[in-house]
Amino acid sequence: MPKYISLIRFTEQGIKAIKKSTARAHAFDEAAAKAGVRIVGQYWTLGQVDGVLIIDAESERAALHLLAELAAEGNVRTETMPAFVLSRSSRLMPGFRASPAVMITTSELSV
C-alpha cells in the first residue's frame, strides 16, 4: 500500500484550541479507519512544522480526501508527499540509492 507523509502546521484556530489536539488526533484515527486508511504514525514535533503524519492509503484519492477533511476543520494545514521505499525508488530512478519523497499537494483550507 502506498505511503504518504504529511507535514502538519497548526492554524491560528488550531493553536487557540491546542488542548484539544490529542482528542482531534484520536478522532482523525477513527475517520482514517472508516476511510480504509491506515495511520502508520502521528507525531508532534518542534521546529518549523508542528507534526508529522505517516499514512498508508490505497490511492492518492483516498489520502487526499482524508487529508482535505482534516484541513477543512480549520485547525491545521498540511503538506503531503508520497514516500517510496528503496526497492521501489531504484525501479523508478535506476542508480538512485536513497528513498525520495516528491511533494504532490499542499492544502491550505481554512474555516
Side-chain angles (χ1 to χ4, degrees), residues 23-60:
R24 290 193 307 262
H26 291 300
F28 180 76
D29 288 343
E30 292 174 12
K34 288 179 185 174
V37 174
R38 186 174 78 88
I39 304 294
V40 176
Q42 244 184 104
Y43 307 93
W44 279 254
T45 59
L46 302 173
Q48 293 185 6
V49 297
D50 300 307
V52 175
L53 176 65
I54 303 170
I55 62 172
D56 283 339
E58 289 291 334
S59 66
E60 287 180 358

Side-chain angles (χ1 to χ4, degrees), residues 10-23:
F10 288 119
T11 62
E12 199 63 35
Q13 174 182 311
I15 291 168
K16 288 178 183 175
I18 195 75
K19 291 181 180 181
K20 297 178 182 176
S21 180
T22 54

Side-chain angles (χ1 to χ4, degrees), residues 3 6 12 25 27 29 44 48 61-62 67-68 73-75 78 83-85 92 94-95 102 107 110:
K3 284 196 184 344
S6 291
E12 199 63 35
D29 288 343
W44 279 254
Q48 293 185 6
R61 183 181 181 130
L67 294 167
E73 292 175 4
N75 295 302
T78 65
F84 302 99
V85 295
L92 294 171
V102 179
S107 68
S110 60

Side-chain angles (χ1 to χ4, degrees), residues 81-86 88-90 92-93 96-102:
M81 58 207 90
F84 302 99
V85 295
L86 182 58
R88 182 160 182 232
S89 299
S90 60
L92 294 171
M93 296 177 283
F96 194 75
R97 299 186 190 279
S99 298
V102 179

